[in-house]
Amino acid sequence: MGVKLFLIRHGQPEWNSQGRYQGEQDTILTDTGIKQARLARKYLSRVNFANFYSSPKKRALQTANIITDGLKIQINIRENLKELNFGKWEGLTFENINTSYRQDYQNWLSDPYNNAPTGGESFKVLLERAGREINKIVDENPEGSNVGVVTHGGVIIALLV
């Protein structure tokens, strides 16, 4: 039966609404992101969570706190649930990156598993990091339990692929 993981992406943060890469930068939720987190809480309201985990980033913690509001459950913060490190691209728009780091960007777009953003980490490195953490989380929880994990889009994509 195993452990049932609920992989939840944080709500919309400021930089997503501006088309900027965030990575390890610590941004907060927009009003839309707060509404998304509240909708996630409503959607997940019937799930009996044994444990809840979150990336340490503000946008993920805000989302986790909104989802668990009113529940008697502690949020376990895990460093390895952080987003992909986008290196020198963090804070830049797609257009800025394609102009300033064109070859690196094109390489990354063609094979993000093996190619890293300039000064950042590849999806291969992210998958190894996040995969180890997810395995620890599964091992920490009893068979048949429901576990919430608030993290980032890149982490979820890496884990699902």
Side-chain angles (χ1 to χ4, degrees):
M1 180 141 91
V3 171
K4 190 172 192 177
L5 293 174
F6 289 78
L7 300 175
I8 305 157
R9 184 193 181 264
H10 58 75
Q12 180 194 61
E14 292 173 338
W15 282 8
N16 274 165
S17 66
Q18 300 167 4
R20 297 180 183 278
Y21 278 92
Q22 292 173 107
E24 293 190 353
Q25 298 303 305
D26 223 359
T27 58
I28 60 172
L29 299 180
T30 61
D31 289 342
T32 298
I34 291 168
K35 288 175 189 171
Q36 291 168 337
R38 287 179 180 149
L39 286 170
R41 177 180 64 203
K42 183 177 178 182
Y43 180 80
L44 297 168
S45 65
R46 293 191 178 149
V47 178
N48 182 23
F49 288 105
N51 268 310
F52 220 87
Y53 297 82
S54 177
S55 156
K57 297 301 172 185
K58 290 176 187 173
R59 57 196 185 269
L61 281 171
Q62 272 185 284
T63 302
N65 281 314
I66 290 169
I67 292 171
T68 61
D69 186 39
L71 304 176
K72 291 181 170 59
I73 193 164
Q74 177 183 339
I75 299 168
N76 302 287
I77 299 169
R78 296 296 172 89
E79 286 291 319
N80 285 327
L81 294 175
K82 290 188 301 191
E83 179 61 289
L84 179 79
N85 178 343
F86 283 99
K88 293 182 178 184
W89 300 358
E90 293 187 8
L92 301 178
T93 64
F94 310 117
E95 295 81 23
N96 295 145
I97 296 166
N98 199 31
T99 300
S100 300
Y101 303 98
R102 184 166 184 72
Q103 191 56 54
D104 286 352
Y105 190 55
Q106 295 307 313
N107 291 342
W108 183 73
L109 288 174
S110 69
D111 183 7
Y113 183 77
N114 291 303
N115 294 308
T118 311
E121 67 183 340
S122 66
F123 269 95
K124 179 180 181 182
V125 172
L126 172 64
L127 178 56
E128 290 167 356
R129 169 172 57 84
R132 282 191 310 271
E133 194 62 53
I134 289 296
N135 287 335
K136 284 183 199 174
I137 289 170
V138 168
D139 290 345
E140 291 171 9
N141 288 280
E143 187 84 14
S145 60
N146 296 317
V147 174
V149 178
V150 178
T151 186
H152 307 271
V155 174
I156 294 170
I157 289 169
L159 291 169
L160 292 177
V161 227

